[in-house]
Amino acid sequence: MTWSVGAGLEGKGVIVTGAAGGIGKAVATAFSATGARVMAVDLDQARVTEVVAGFEGSGHLAVAADLSDLSAHAGLVTQAREAFGNLYVLANLAAVLRRRGSIDEVTEDDWDFQHDINLKAAFFLCRTAGDAMIEQGKGGRIITFSSQGWWTGGFGGSVAYAATKGGVTSMTRGLARTYGPHRITVNAVSPGQVHTPMLMTGLSPEVYESMKKQTPLGYVAEPEEVAGPVVFLASDHAKYITGSTINVSGGFLMY
Ligand SMILES: NC(=O)c1ccc[n+]([C@@H]2O[C@H](COP(=O)([O-])OP(=O)(O)OC[C@H]3O[C@@H](n4cnc5c(N)ncnc54)[C@H](O)[C@@H]3O)[C@@H](O)[C@H]2O)c1
């Protein structure tokens, strides 16, 4: 085994969803630096094209897709396999958060909107990617995105969102059991507070300050600080890790 960050990823096909978002952009850019070929997927073509323009290397793809439309998933996976010759990694970051000050304000639409993208689309995209990896017969890596809310139940009006992330954590474990015999690892990354549009939307300055105080490292992470663990999980160095939830929270929670 070559000892380097991103070992084993050179020439591999990678899909990153939510790639125009705060953490997704950092993750997708980090994958491009390993020599992998990256398909960046997000809602808006202009935003995703801009992200890919900042990548290292060539041969990457910028694709606009609404992942809540499950019928789009097969086409994305096929496009990646055809363009890259293989699909080795799915890093699924696309998610939405609607904060509500009181649970009485949570509407059925709020519940469905967050579950449809964060959990339902995540499951079906992971399964579509997993099927392709099984067919290829060369193993693979699926990395899901949870949140500390899977453990805490959520702060700052995010009970429904936290429920989706609890689902993502459980789903990740189930998929790890399902795909293990095919040498496909499935792990969740669970960020703490990361400085992105999602964190800041509807967040009061008081809650933001108290988050910093409760974090032993004393600050809110920048997106690049989450990209390293994702690339590690996709690398050869992490080949015996599956079903884990990797806590990247600056010590906010310890487990
Ligand atoms: N920022 C944090 O503090 C934090 C903490 C814990 C977990 N997370 C998780 O990390 C991941 C990335 O979060 P972020 O902070 O970068 O958020 P973000 O809002 O910056 O990015 C999320 C991206 O997902 C995309 N997206 C939403 N719905 C989509 C759909 N239907 N189809 C395709 N793309 C869609 C959005 O357009 C956006 O670009 C998410 O899974 C989030 O739940 C973030």
Side-chain angles (χ1 to χ4, degrees), residues 21-23 42 65-67 93 95 145-146 161 165 192 194 196 198:
I23 302 172
D42 209 300
D66 181 347
L67 297 167
L93 285 83
F145 262 69
S146 187
Y161 169 86
K165 295 300 186 177
V194 188
T196 71
M198 179 181 284

Side-chain angles (χ1 to χ4, degrees), residues 211-245:
M211 283 172 167
K212 285 203 268 188
K213 284 202 187 95
Q214 291 171 59
T215 302
L217 286 181
Y219 68 97
V220 167
E222 291 304 321
E224 290 70 22
E225 293 172 271
V226 182
V230 180
V231 170
F232 164 68
L233 285 172
S235 76
D236 283 349
H237 301 310
K239 68 200 291 189
Y240 203 60
I241 301 176
T242 197
S244 291
T245 302

Side-chain angles (χ1 to χ4, degrees), residues 18 20-27 47 195-197 223-224:
I23 302 172
K25 178 181 174 184
V27 165
R47 284 177 66 214
H195 197 236
T196 71
E224 290 70 22

Side-chain angles (χ1 to χ4, degrees), residues 17-25 41-44 47 64-69 92-97 99 113 116-118 121 144-149 161 164-165 189-201 211 220-221 223 226:
T17 75
I23 302 172
K25 178 181 174 184
V41 180
D42 209 300
L43 288 170
D44 181 70
R47 284 177 66 214
D66 181 347
L67 297 167
S68 62
D69 174 8
N92 191 53
L93 285 83
V96 287
L97 164 63
R99 288 187 207 281
F113 179 61
D116 281 352
I117 297 164
N118 300 7
T144 62
F145 262 69
S146 187
S147 159
Q148 300 301 315
Y161 169 86
T164 71
K165 295 300 186 177
V189 170
S190 180
Q193 281 76 43
V194 188
H195 197 236
T196 71
M198 179 181 284
L199 179 74
M200 303 315 288
T201 304
M211 283 172 167
V220 167
V226 182

